[in-house]
Amino acid sequence: AALPQPYRASFHFQPPDNWMNDPNGPMFYKGYYHLFYQWNPYAAVWGNITWGHAVSTDMIRWHILDLALLPDQWYDQYGCWSGSATFLNGKPVLLYTGWSNVSFSRDNQVQMQAMAIAVNYSDPLLRQWTKIPQNPILTAPDGINSTKFRDPTTGWLGKDDKWRMIVGAKRKHRGLAILYRSSDFVQWEKAKHPLHSVARTGMWECPDFYPMLASASRNGIDTSVTGPHVKHVLKVSLDDTKHDYYAVGTYVTGNDSFIPTNAKLDAGLGLRYDYGKYYASKTFFDDNKGRRILLGWVNESSIESADIAKNWSSMQGFPRIVWLDAENSERILQWPIDEIKSLYKQKNTLESMRLDIGPVVKVKTTNGAQLDIEVDFALPELKQAEKLEVNASSAQQLCSERASSRSGLVGPFGLLVLASEDQSEQTAVFFYIVSDGRGSWNALVCSDQSRSSLSTDPDKTAYGSFIPVFGNETTMSLRVLVDHSIVETFAQGGKVCITSRVYPTKAINEEAQVYVFNNGSVPIQLKKLTAWEMETVDIGPF
Ligand code: FRU
């Protein structure tokens, strides 16, 4: 008999089975969103990497097509690794990394960049792809170890009509984005200087480089747009910490370099897209709706033998729209795409109430395992907050020390999701407000998995970050997408995001409950809570 599958997502993308990792080449073409992904056709563990392919009209209801790229050439015989799509005169082409150990005359090149084009551009589903005969179009340059040379980005066009793109690499202890230029997208010339590099940041996997409107409008812009009205974002995925870091800065087109606005928040050092599980992400400009969309790989907290037993591993994060924060131009904001509303079924609410320390308040649901929850709390008098220093490196640790179960002063308050009726299982998403003793306040934002499962197998690390709380701020808000074994949190309008993976044993399907709690001695006013029950998407063949 087939295993019961209480942990598969209902509205997050997953292929029907086996291992998935990075999202690749996302784009919109002739009425369809295309998502490619790193996929092992044979097992629920990494290996034999191909490009899976799915299409959708809303980035939610995906249909699986035939594999787009298979390891069938000498330069990619061990795997077709990550890459990106670029439109050349309206026609998308794919750049990707081939993995091989074939030496030929090419002195043991391992990772090489290759290109594929669609066989029939009048097919909106772009069902068939072919690799160009000029492949590999790039091998590792002198001074770069060919095992650390991969993940070409979407190209962008300069004022000189030449294409640019970057490839992630590492030299000694420095991560770098090697810059290439080309007139025809096939023959590439390495620029003298990388677009950017940062010491002590590890290998830059899956770099992403794109413009944002400096006006902080939610509208997105095409990857080639430059000018004084634009800021650029450079994102890198660090292979050692397995986190995605980004920096906002200026793209100096004169010499093709990137200068971060704040050197302390340079790529690989500062801000993260997500403080939980989120990696190898990629954005694309959605010219269908004029916005920039972010997709990211959410890996497992389950152990490998459990993945093999359930025959799948990983999900994609729910598509997010990204734009610059008007309040703080060094930061971007992220929010689930609006299409999510097409999945809403029953609406469950809690009206305004006072939350005293201790007793939890249940949110009535019929299926607490698939929800989109929004909750607003009123900030109490901040003078009562505990004095506690938080910074980027201490927040996660403080989130496990100031765990939801411990009582505090202003908080912890928030939600228990995927909770069993007796709360012996619960994933706590919460705020803890602290004072720096100098008249400023911060909110720790935490996702505490420590009690998420009675099973001892899954990883239950607590995640967290913090947000400065301003004197004029009145509300602390959480948006939490709950989907069987994924909990995606967007705090304070998308200033901080935390994604976690959990494997409850009791709090599954209709048994999963939601509660509001306050474990701080200062009463907290709940302003309003809405929990939408979500439809189940059937990700089938086209
Ligand atoms: C990131 C990554 C990429 C590589 C791909 C291989 O998760 O390691 O650098 O191209 O996965 O599957």
Side-chain angles (χ1 to χ4, degrees), residues 19 21-22 24 38 46 49 80-83 97 150-151 203-206 237 239 242 279-280 297:
W19 167 275
N21 54 297
D22 317 354
N24 293 147
Q38 297 277 288
W46 185 88
I49 293 294
C80 296
W81 285 12
S82 282
T97 298
R150 57 182 179 271
D151 308 337
M203 162 78 200
W204 284 9
E205 295 188 313
C206 301
S237 303
D239 69 336
K242 287 282 169 203
Y279 194 64
W297 166 41

Side-chain angles (χ1 to χ4, degrees), residues 136-423:
I137 56 173
L138 279 178
T139 54
D142 286 348
I144 296 292
N145 183 324
S146 70
T147 61
K148 294 182 167 58
F149 178 60
R150 57 182 179 271
D151 308 337
T153 62
T154 295
W156 68 95
L157 203 51
K159 295 269 189 290
D160 56 2
D161 265 349
K162 281 196 180 164
W163 288 98
R164 274 98 170 132
M165 59 96 175
I166 51 178
V167 177
K170 178 179 179 174
R171 189 166 46 211
K172 299 217 173 95
H173 299 289
R174 181 176 279 273
L176 67 159
I178 304 177
L179 180 78
Y180 289 90
R181 298 191 188 95
S182 171
S183 310
D184 61 0
F185 222 76
V186 175
Q187 277 192 296
W188 292 90
E189 216 179 302
K190 188 173 85 69
K192 195 155 171 238
H193 300 287
L195 177 83
H196 197 53
S197 74
V198 178
R200 286 175 298 279
T201 53
M203 162 78 200
W204 284 9
E205 295 188 313
C206 301
D208 193 18
F209 185 58
Y210 55 92
M212 293 272 217
L213 286 171
S215 63
S217 144
R218 281 194 186 213
N219 295 335
I221 43 180
D222 183 82
T223 310
S224 295
V225 175
T226 56
H229 63 303
V230 161
K231 291 259 173 224
H232 270 73
V233 174
L234 176 64
K235 183 278 298 187
V236 301
S237 303
L238 296 190
D239 69 336
D240 47 2
T241 66
K242 287 282 169 203
H243 297 308
D244 279 12
Y245 296 82
Y246 73 93
V248 179
T250 304
Y251 171 36
V252 183
T253 53
N255 64 1
D256 280 318
S257 67
F258 172 78
I259 301 175
T261 307
N262 177 346
K264 285 199 196 105
L265 301 181
D266 204 346
L269 303 175
L271 298 172
R272 277 165 56 180
Y273 278 160
D274 193 294
Y275 290 85
K277 290 186 181 293
Y278 201 80
Y279 194 64
S281 66
K282 196 179 290 297
T283 65
F284 73 102
F285 174 59
D286 168 15
D287 64 349
N288 180 40
K289 298 212 166 161
R291 56 190 173 172
R292 187 161 284 271
I293 302 292
L294 170 68
L295 296 166
W297 166 41
V298 180
N299 72 351
E300 283 301 331
S301 63
S302 52
I303 55 175
E304 191 175 279
S305 59
D307 295 343
I308 291 167
K310 70 186 184 326
N311 201 31
W312 57 270
S313 171
S314 301
M315 297 180 181
Q316 295 296 329
F318 194 80
R320 303 173 181 180
I321 165 172
V322 289
W323 70 100
L324 263 193
D325 184 354
E327 239 171 45
N328 173 356
S329 61
E330 289 169 8
R331 181 168 62 200
I332 66 162
L333 298 176
Q334 307 171 58
W335 202 241
I337 56 168
D338 253 4
E339 283 86 337
I340 197 169
K341 293 179 183 151
S342 70
L343 296 171
Y344 287 177
K345 298 197 298 188
Q346 185 184 313
K347 181 183 186 180
N348 310 299
T349 57
L350 284 181
E351 292 309 322
S352 172
M353 70 172 76
R354 181 182 140 134
L355 300 170
D356 288 306
I357 187 166
V360 296
V361 179
K362 183 172 182 168
V363 182
K364 276 215 189 86
T365 56
T366 32
N367 188 347
Q370 42 194 83
L371 296 171
D372 180 355
I373 309 169
E374 278 196 78
V375 59
D376 287 344
F377 300 96
L379 266 179
E381 180 53 64
L382 290 177
K383 290 203 179 68
Q384 307 163 85
E386 179 182 352
K387 185 170 171 294
L388 187 67
E389 285 292 339
V390 299
N391 54 48
S393 47
S394 68
Q396 174 164 356
Q397 181 59 29
L398 288 172
C399 280
S400 62
E401 285 166 13
R402 297 294 189 276
S404 50
S405 53
R406 258 197 47 165
S407 58
L409 299 173
V410 183
F413 62 90
L415 299 172
L416 305 179
V417 300
L418 293 171
S420 57
E421 199 74 57
D422 61 1
Q423 292 128 52

